[in-house]
Amino acid sequence: GDRSYAPVKVADVHSPYRLGAGSLHLDLTGLVLGSSDTSIRATVAAGRMDILVPDTMTVDIHAHVGAGVIQVEDRNLADLINQDGHGGLGTTVQTTLPGTTVGAAHLVLDLDVSLGVVRVGQVGALGTPAPALPTAPATPSVLVPAAPPLPVP
């Protein structure tokens, strides 16, 4: 199934977030951090994980996919890894999204998807979320001609 969470206080964070199959959407744009770093762990066995973070806080990201794609976008919608994300088998990405508030506590994300997509998007001051991941081009269909009919004796 699909799950969405939008905690606004550190006390509202129910880490770890776990989902067997489906989409996990975690909107952290309204989260107010305390004076110390806040860690959030999230796992999805099969599916998609979308995390939105505000551009005001520095976010340390450790993301892993067993098979799939990881995409991290900053407030300028620039993909920090490469144009199409980073994917394959056993992919791990560690990076930091710098925040606009200097000296504030960090948000630490530990993200794991066994099969699927991890996407972290930083939302800018205008509240515009990062765009969706590009979809893979459709695999062309291969038509196999039917076998000729067997002759009737």
Side-chain angles (χ1 to χ4, degrees), residues 92-149:
T92 299
V93 169
Q94 281 191 264
T95 191
T96 298
L97 288 172
T100 58
T101 306
V102 179
H106 288 206
L107 179 64
V108 180
L109 299 177
D110 184 9
L111 312 173
D112 185 66
V113 172
S114 298
L115 175 65
V117 175
V118 172
R119 182 175 150 266
V120 179
Q122 191 177 47
V123 176
L126 298 177
T128 306
L133 277 174
T135 56
T139 304
S141 298
V142 177
L143 297 176
V144 177

Side-chain angles (χ1 to χ4, degrees), residues 37-137:
D37 293 352
T38 298
S39 295
I40 295 178
R41 174 145 175 72
T43 61
V44 173
R48 181 179 183 92
M49 180 185 303
D50 288 302
I51 313 289
L52 290 177
V53 297
D55 69 348
T56 54
M57 65 177 69
T58 297
V59 183
D60 298 320
I61 301 165
H62 178 267
H64 175 80
V65 292
V69 175
I70 300 171
Q71 186 172 21
V72 179
E73 296 170 342
D74 69 8
R75 73 177 70 68
N76 299 314
L77 305 181
D79 187 336
L80 296 184
I81 301 167
N82 63 43
Q83 190 61 34
D84 297 318
H86 193 71
L89 298 175
T91 302
T92 299
V93 169
Q94 281 191 264
T95 191
T96 298
L97 288 172
T100 58
T101 306
V102 179
H106 288 206
L107 179 64
V108 180
L109 299 177
D110 184 9
L111 312 173
D112 185 66
V113 172
S114 298
L115 175 65
V117 175
V118 172
R119 182 175 150 266
V120 179
Q122 191 177 47
V123 176
L126 298 177
T128 306
L133 277 174
T135 56

